[in-house]
């Protein structure tokens, strides 16, 4: 149950956070009843807190009565002192402009990848990633690029858990996946072939700050054009390196 709010001893703050945590990429719009069910709150409690969050613009109610995250949270999110998106955006645009293919930027958040930016066009192959969405690490190019450069204990822990299988092509065997991650680390980039979505393939490279992966850049093509993927690796690696250089320079500058 989202938020674990059946505990009667929880504070008002924790209950409000549970309400916000009830929304995700799969359920971005919820009715009041659904919010109460997902948080385990009494309907009257949920109604009161949702009203306060709506008044504060943390939630917004649509014409159909469903709620969604409000712009106030987006405004606060812009205050996060991380220059990654700012330094990466021009390079993502350059990679898209040079290839015409969908490009995205992702970071690791727990055991998932969180997509933080995306540049795409109408003619590029449709992809499931969107800014703010989360996906498993092992079936995605950006996820493999990040996972391959994590410490050994983290990789072992990740591979020891049951792994999702979004398509019949997803690699879920721990030994096989471990060998692929070793290859990814050696060559500096990852590829996928219909492992997250049928009909699309990808290549991705980590953005490294020293030996630490702070993000990964991915590019996606249609499976019909899988033979084009190798020619995209060099520009992909170049952009990842340039983002890394700009990121290191940005974080080394003192705050004004």
């Amino acid at each position: 149950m989202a938020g674990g709010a059946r505990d009667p001893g929880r504070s008002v703050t924790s209950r409000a956070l549970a309400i916000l945590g009830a929304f995700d990429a799969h359920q971005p719009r919820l009715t009041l009843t659904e919010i109460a069910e997902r948080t385990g709150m009494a309907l009257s409690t949920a109604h009161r807190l949702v009203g306060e969050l709506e008044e504060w613009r943390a939630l917004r109610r649509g014409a159909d009565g469903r709620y969604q995250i409000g712009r106030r949270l987006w405004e606060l999110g812009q205050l996060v002192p991380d220059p990654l998106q700012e330094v990466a955006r021009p390079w993502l645009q350059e990679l898209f402009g040079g290839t015409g293919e969908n490009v995205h930027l992702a970071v690791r958040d727990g055991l998932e990848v969180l997509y933080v930016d995306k540049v795409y066009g109408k003619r590029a192959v449709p992809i499931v990633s969107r800014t703010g969405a989360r996906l498993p690490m092992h079936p995605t190019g950006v996820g493999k690029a990040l996972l391959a450069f994590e410490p050994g204990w983290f990789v072992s822990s990740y591979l020891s858990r049951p792994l999702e299988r979004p398509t019949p092509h997803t690699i879920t065997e721990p030994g096989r996946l471990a060998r692929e991650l070793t290859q990814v680390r050696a060559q500096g980039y990852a590829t996928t072939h219909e492992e997250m979505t049928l009909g699309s393939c990808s290549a991705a490279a980590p953005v490294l700050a020293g030996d630490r992966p702070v993000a990964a850049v991915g590019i996606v093509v249609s499976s019909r054009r899988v033979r084009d993927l190798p020619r995209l690796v060099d520009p992909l690696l170049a952009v990842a390196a340039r983002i890394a250089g700009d990121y290191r320079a940005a974080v080394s500058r003192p705050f004004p």
Side-chain angles (χ1 to χ4, degrees), residues 235-252:
L236 176 68
L237 290 172
V239 162
R242 286 164 181 156
I243 294 174
D246 287 354
Y247 179 80
R248 289 192 296 268
V251 299
S252 66

Side-chain angles (χ1 to χ4, degrees), residues 84-85 88 92 103-107 114-117 207 215-217 243:
L84 177 63
Q85 286 176 265
L92 297 180
V103 176
H104 48 217
L105 182 74
V107 299
L114 173 64
Y115 291 86
V116 296
D117 204 355
V207 176
V217 182
I243 294 174

Side-chain angles (χ1 to χ4, degrees), residues 96-139:
F96 171 76
T99 64
E101 307 295 346
N102 285 331
V103 176
H104 48 217
L105 182 74
V107 299
R108 179 175 74 82
D109 190 19
L111 299 176
E112 299 174 306
V113 289
L114 173 64
Y115 291 86
V116 296
D117 204 355
K118 176 179 175 181
V119 182
Y120 60 98
K122 293 182 179 179
R123 292 182 296 176
V125 61
I127 55 178
V128 296
S129 71
R130 66 175 182 81
T131 303
R134 298 171 181 271
L135 289 175
M137 297 187 76
H138 61 282

Side-chain angles (χ1 to χ4, degrees), residues 20-248:
L20 297 176
F23 296 85
D24 56 33
H26 302 291
Q27 296 284 343
R29 300 171 67 249
L30 298 170
T31 65
L32 180 62
T33 299
E34 289 169 336
I35 292 172
E37 290 175 348
R38 287 172 69 86
T39 59
M41 293 182 193
L43 188 60
S44 59
T45 301
H47 181 268
R48 175 174 57 83
L49 292 175
V50 164
E52 293 179 8
L53 289 169
E54 183 183 10
E55 184 178 356
W56 195 70
R57 294 188 295 120
L59 292 179
R60 182 165 66 89
R61 188 183 186 198
D64 61 356
R66 292 180 177 271
Y67 293 89
Q68 61 190 65
I69 296 297
R71 293 189 182 275
R72 185 67 177 272
L73 294 184
W74 177 83
E75 292 172 3
L76 292 175
Q78 303 309 299
L79 302 178
V80 176
D82 186 349
L84 177 63
Q85 286 176 265
E86 182 179 349
V87 301
R89 170 51 79 135
W91 295 116
L92 297 180
Q93 291 175 328
E94 180 167 304
L95 184 58
F96 171 76
T99 64
E101 307 295 346
N102 285 331
V103 176
H104 48 217
L105 182 74
V107 299
R108 179 175 74 82
D109 190 19
L111 299 176
E112 299 174 306
V113 289
L114 173 64
Y115 291 86
V116 296
D117 204 355
K118 176 179 175 181
V119 182
Y120 60 98
K122 293 182 179 179
R123 292 182 296 176
V125 61
I127 55 178
V128 296
S129 71
R130 66 175 182 81
T131 303
R134 298 171 181 271
L135 289 175
M137 297 187 76
H138 61 282
T140 60
V142 288
K144 287 183 182 181
L146 289 166
L147 190 57
F149 287 84
E150 290 292 341
W153 66 265
F154 181 87
V155 175
S156 297
S157 177
Y158 186 95
L159 298 181
S160 67
R161 55 190 284 274
L163 299 177
E164 302 94 324
R165 194 180 184 91
T167 80
H169 305 288
T170 307
I171 300 174
T172 58
E173 301 84 1
R176 181 182 173 192
L177 190 53
R179 290 191 295 273
E180 181 169 350
L181 293 176
T182 298
Q183 181 180 358
V184 169
R185 190 176 182 96
Q187 66 190 16
Y189 66 92
T191 59
T192 65
H193 299 273
E194 298 192 326
E195 294 176 50
M196 187 66 228
T197 308
L198 294 176
S200 65
C201 302
S202 69
V207 176
L208 298 173
D211 293 330
R212 184 173 65 91
V214 296
V217 182
I219 189 165
V220 182
V221 301
S222 166
S223 297
R224 297 191 302 272
R225 297 178 46 239
V226 66
R227 292 183 179 178
D228 293 338
L229 209 55
R231 71 173 177 81
L232 300 174
V233 169
D234 283 346
L236 176 68
L237 290 172
V239 162
R242 286 164 181 156
I243 294 174
D246 287 354
Y247 179 80
R248 289 192 296 268

